[in-house]
Amino acid sequence: MVRLVAGESFQAGEERRRKILETAGKRATTTRASASIHKKSKGSGSSDAAMPASRVRPERAAAAAGDATVEDTDALDCGVCFLPLKPPIFQCDEGHVVCSLCRDKLAPAGKCHVCGIATRNYHRCYAMERLVESVHVPCPNAAHGCDARPAYYDQDVHCQTCPHIPHHCPGKDCSFLGSTEALLDHFTGAHGWPPTTEISAFETCSIPLYDGFNFILADCAEEDDHFTTTSSTSSSRYLFLLNVTRQPLGRSITVHFIGRELPSEGLRCVLSYSRLFYDPHDHRKFLGSHSLRSEINVECMDLSNGLPNPDDCFQFVVPDSILRNINKKDTIQVEVFISIISQE
């Protein structure tokens, strides 16, 4: 409320009140605008809010690039072999890029595969090399637990050694597909098969084998030096299936590798069985012994078509004559030796 000054008429007082309110309103508007500008500047990262895209901070540009999508991956492939481009990459004067191998293949023709410019003018395309090195993709086995993001051109190499490659269950009419770890849980949880035996490669282990499926997980240490003719450059664990079946004259054991081996490696499994015999009436009297040993070249399989016919596989057979007096429900104790052979 505005009080009247002595001698001031009511009309004059109202006019003075109006001017006071107008002045106060302008001050309030100015104050609010100033506060708004200050708040916007502080909350949006200072002057970066109005900064052009070309001058955005690097970390912000990297975050934006994380949402980028490659619509046409053919642009990242060589125009000759159609394989993913990887350094070193070359281009002609018109910008047509090829991988180093295809550049050498084009040398006899002497011209670019697209525009016909002389190949002697090919030069390194460092911008494209930087681009393909920055493009990373999820591993195809991400759904099975792999969180790796290899470079686009390196994904096939990664998949060859990825520990999360899914494998089929060897059970008849079982459609389970999963990584090695998931498969091991599935064996006991869904089928009740004997627990998987874990061993070290290049060491002989004595293990009991039941009729049916028996699984061995061989841990292959890196750069093993047990033998000069064998080597392992992989830290992967190898899953083997030893299938014991009854035959008219004994028990047959076949060995299978579930997974994917490197092209430079070969897997060998040595099985051996021995037994000593004593006089049943005098257990101190030694009668004789039997000893069997076989070296098996183990081939890998993904079990997508089920187990192969045992008749098509190498079989380690333990005759009933050696197994006499052993209960049919008993296991047989077999020594196992796993090795990785370099194929290079």
Side-chain angles (χ1 to χ4, degrees), residues 41 44-52 55-57 59-60:
S41 175
S44 61
S46 188
S47 60
D48 284 350
M51 186 181 295
R55 297 181 61 191
V56 175
R57 291 180 179 179
E59 60 269 21
R60 230 184 266 178

Side-chain angles (χ1 to χ4, degrees), residues 194-342:
T196 301
T197 303
E198 296 192 22
I199 67 173
S200 296
F202 303 101
E203 294 182 8
T204 300
C205 302
S206 180
I207 62 175
L209 296 182
Y210 299 81
D211 284 355
F213 292 162
N214 300 266
F215 299 95
I216 295 177
L217 194 61
D219 185 10
C220 304
E222 294 186 1
E223 298 181 358
D224 195 285
D225 295 327
H226 286 79
F227 299 95
T228 57
T229 58
T230 61
S231 65
S232 175
T233 57
S234 172
S235 59
S236 301
R237 296 191 296 173
Y238 292 78
L239 181 60
F240 293 86
L241 164 60
L242 277 64
N243 188 19
V244 180
T245 57
R246 296 277 179 167
Q247 300 291 347
L249 299 178
R251 297 186 194 181
S252 169
I253 304 172
T254 56
V255 184
H256 312 280
F257 167 59
I258 302 176
R260 181 182 299 176
E261 60 187 324
L262 294 176
S264 60
E265 293 180 347
L267 301 176
R268 297 285 174 85
C269 177
V270 176
L271 298 181
S272 57
Y273 178 84
S274 60
R275 188 179 178 197
L276 303 177
F277 290 89
Y278 294 86
D279 190 321
H281 303 291
D282 183 0
H283 297 292
R284 293 175 299 178
K285 184 179 180 181
F286 175 73
L287 296 179
S289 66
H290 282 289
S291 181
L292 303 172
R293 183 181 183 278
S294 293
E295 182 175 352
I296 304 170
N297 184 45
V298 185
E299 296 183 0
C300 67
M301 60 180 185
D302 63 3
L303 299 175
S304 57
N305 297 319
L307 279 174
N309 189 325
D311 294 335
D312 297 331
C313 305
F314 184 92
Q315 301 182 43
F316 179 76
V317 180
V318 183
D320 283 335
S321 59
I322 298 179
L323 296 172
R324 70 173 182 263
N325 301 326
I326 293 181
N327 191 298
K328 290 185 176 180
K329 295 182 180 180
D330 291 343
T331 61
I332 57 176
Q333 201 75 16
V334 175
E335 290 187 341
V336 179
F337 178 87
I338 302 292
S339 63
I340 296 98
I341 309 299
S342 176

Side-chain angles (χ1 to χ4, degrees), residues 114-160:
V114 178
C115 62
I117 289 180
T119 54
R120 65 175 179 272
N121 295 325
Y122 270 113
H123 52 274
R124 287 283 291 273
C125 184
Y126 293 103
M128 192 65 179
E129 290 180 7
R130 182 179 178 185
L131 174 64
V132 298
E133 288 180 338
S134 67
V135 178
H136 289 254
V137 295
C139 173
N141 304 316
H144 300 285
C146 184
D147 57 2
R149 292 182 61 85
Y152 171 74
Y153 64 79
D154 205 34
Q155 57 183 323
D156 288 341
V157 175
H158 167 77
C159 287
Q160 289 181 1

